[in-house]
Amino acid sequence: MDLINSLLNLVVPPASLVMLAFAWPALSFINACEWVYNTLYSENMEDKVVIITGASSGIGEQVAYEYAKKRAKLVLVARRENRLRGIGEKARQLGAKHVMIMAADVVKLDDCRRFITETVSYYGRVDHLVNTASLGHTFYFEEAIDTSVFPPLMDINYWGNVYPTYVALPFLRQSNGRVIVNASVENWLPLPRMSLYAAAKAALINFYETLRFEVKEVGITIATHGWIGSDMTRGKFMLEDGAEMQWKEEREVQLTGGPVEEFARLMVAGACRGDAYVKYPSWYDIFLLYRVFAPNVLGWTFRLLLSTNGARRSTSLIGTGKPLLESSSPPKLLTGGPFTFPQHNPQQHQQKME
């Protein structure tokens, strides 16, 4: 058996690459035909019911606007109810048939049961569940001295998707609905200072890939993005009480990327077409081949990029215990983006808007 495996190790990878190279034109043509067909017969979202978690800003906010343009009925879920009011009003102006606002925490199963059941009670159905709540970080793992920030990172990025999906599945089965997932290329492309975030996203992707085979009546669209413009990349965070956090001025953060609006537009368009995957930008996929067939190349590349920056400088935004910049009165709280922690539980009530 060991001899057989050794032979397969030598033969299968190069043979597969050769077969893929010859099959690539045909596969590309088939994919293009499928894309045209799905675009022509895209799902009409008018009067359909769409639940969007993490809708108070960032990707979730822009997704709400895209569904509003398609005249869907929206349920906007987040912890910052004051932010949801303005977003709900704008969504209504853009064409949403109806907007319901609910303050809830997606990492609490009871909250998820509440906003799902109240949605079904009011509208009678759920067609799309869009999970956009997410939390990122930019610190080296060994720099973190306050491990109390670890569980919330995993909870929001993983359980904050699993819980709403778990509760909504019976209703999505009835409507042959769809789950749309906000993921990231870091789930398979290792990038420094994103260890916990990447681990959570990898778990999330594997959960939904497995779920595809278990619930055939419900479609699943996994949307992955690289660096895109968001409140996290602009250096704005809301941080958990009790954790020893640090902050950085907006001008100090050097991360930039493509527009959130474009990613949200692609997410909604892909979901309506029934796409299994939405990728922005798609050229990241080339690195997947290196990851599988030449993993050392990625390792060498990252080490080279890091070494060109000289000695490693602490750029940690949370949990380092070291001041990152001097200020006479540094703010304890910087809010913004889908990457947020609450300082207190939101009020347990909802507001309906026509």
Side-chain angles (χ1 to χ4, degrees):
M1 191 64 184
D2 289 341
L3 179 60
I4 294 176
N5 283 328
S6 298
L7 291 174
L8 291 177
N9 288 339
L10 293 174
V11 174
V12 171
S16 298
L17 286 176
V18 172
M19 292 175 61
L20 182 60
F22 281 104
W24 189 261
L27 291 174
S28 297
F29 176 75
I30 293 172
N31 289 335
C33 293
E34 184 180 33
W35 182 88
V36 171
Y37 177 84
N38 291 335
T39 300
L40 292 175
Y41 297 96
S42 181
E43 182 179 3
N44 181 9
M45 293 307 299
E46 185 169 358
D47 290 322
K48 296 290 183 70
V49 179
V50 181
I51 299 176
I52 305 171
T53 67
S56 60
S57 62
I59 295 171
E61 177 182 354
Q62 297 303 322
V63 166
Y65 298 153
E66 292 299 323
Y67 274 108
K69 295 173 185 176
K70 295 181 179 293
R71 301 182 63 77
K73 297 175 180 177
L74 303 181
V75 180
L76 306 182
V77 180
R79 286 164 291 194
R80 293 180 290 172
E81 185 181 3
N82 60 325
R83 280 281 300 163
L84 290 177
R85 292 194 188 99
I87 294 169
E89 177 60 27
K90 183 174 179 180
R92 185 186 63 80
Q93 294 173 0
L94 288 172
K97 283 294 190 71
H98 187 273
V99 179
M100 180 184 293
I101 289 174
M102 295 193 190
D105 189 342
V106 291
V107 302
K108 296 179 179 178
L109 184 58
D110 289 341
D111 277 19
C112 295
R113 285 198 177 102
R114 175 173 57 82
F115 69 73
I116 296 292
T117 55
E118 290 186 14
T119 296
V120 175
S121 177
Y122 189 84
Y123 292 119
R125 60 186 295 152
V126 176
D127 294 287
H128 283 196
L129 170 65
V130 188
N131 294 313
T132 69
S134 187
L135 178 71
H137 67 82
T138 56
F139 63 88
Y140 290 101
F141 182 72
E142 65 179 355
E143 292 177 343
I145 62 172
D146 187 354
T147 58
S148 65
V149 304
F150 292 175
L153 281 166
M154 303 301 289
D155 287 344
I156 293 176
N157 288 311
Y158 183 72
W159 296 113
N161 288 261
V162 173
Y163 286 157
T165 302
Y166 173 75
V167 179
L169 269 181
F171 307 106
L172 291 170
R173 282 179 183 271
Q174 295 174 8
S175 63
N176 290 320
R178 178 165 294 272
V179 179
I180 297 90
V181 186
N182 172 34
S184 174
V185 72
E186 282 85 9
N187 78 85
W188 61 265
L189 181 63
L191 293 176
R193 298 185 295 156
M194 290 190 172
S195 53
L196 296 175
Y197 176 77
K201 291 300 185 180
L204 188 66
I205 295 296
N206 281 280
F207 167 74
Y208 281 109
E209 292 288 13
T210 304
L211 198 62
R212 289 187 198 276
F213 300 102
E214 297 183 6
V215 286
K216 297 180 181 179
E217 305 89 347
V218 178
I220 295 175
T221 296
I222 299 175
T224 58
H225 61 79
W227 284 113
I228 61 175
S230 71
D231 286 338
M232 184 186 77
T233 59
R234 298 185 190 110
K236 297 181 181 180
F237 289 80
M238 182 186 290
L239 302 174
E240 182 79 10
D241 267 345
E244 185 175 350
M245 303 293 189
Q246 302 297 331
W247 66 284
K248 215 171 186 183
E249 286 182 346
E250 186 171 345
R251 62 180 173 81
E252 293 279 314
V253 179
Q254 302 299 321
L255 305 177
T256 58
V260 176
E261 294 85 353
E262 178 65 13
F263 179 59
R265 185 188 66 79
L266 292 174
M267 280 182 68
V268 175
C272 293
R273 284 195 304 266
D275 292 348
Y277 303 97
V278 173
K279 299 175 182 180
Y280 179 78
S282 59
W283 61 264
Y284 278 89
D285 285 355
I286 190 63
F287 294 110
L288 185 57
L289 290 176
Y290 288 96
R291 174 75 185 270
V292 174
F293 294 104
N296 287 336
V297 173
L298 280 181
W300 296 333
T301 302
F302 282 126
R303 290 187 183 95
L304 178 63
L305 292 174
L306 289 174
S307 63
T308 57
N309 293 328
R312 190 174 74 180
R313 179 172 53 89
S314 176
T315 53
S316 187
L317 290 180
I318 66 175
T320 62
K322 297 183 288 186
L324 295 179
L325 57 90
E326 296 180 359
S327 175
S328 56
S329 57
K332 290 190 66 177
L333 188 67
L334 292 174
T335 63
F339 313 90
T340 61
F341 282 120
Q343 280 207 313
H344 55 79
N345 292 330
Q347 295 179 354
Q348 303 295 314
H349 66 278
Q350 66 178 4
Q351 174 182 345
K352 297 183 179 70
M353 297 172 49
E354 290 290 347

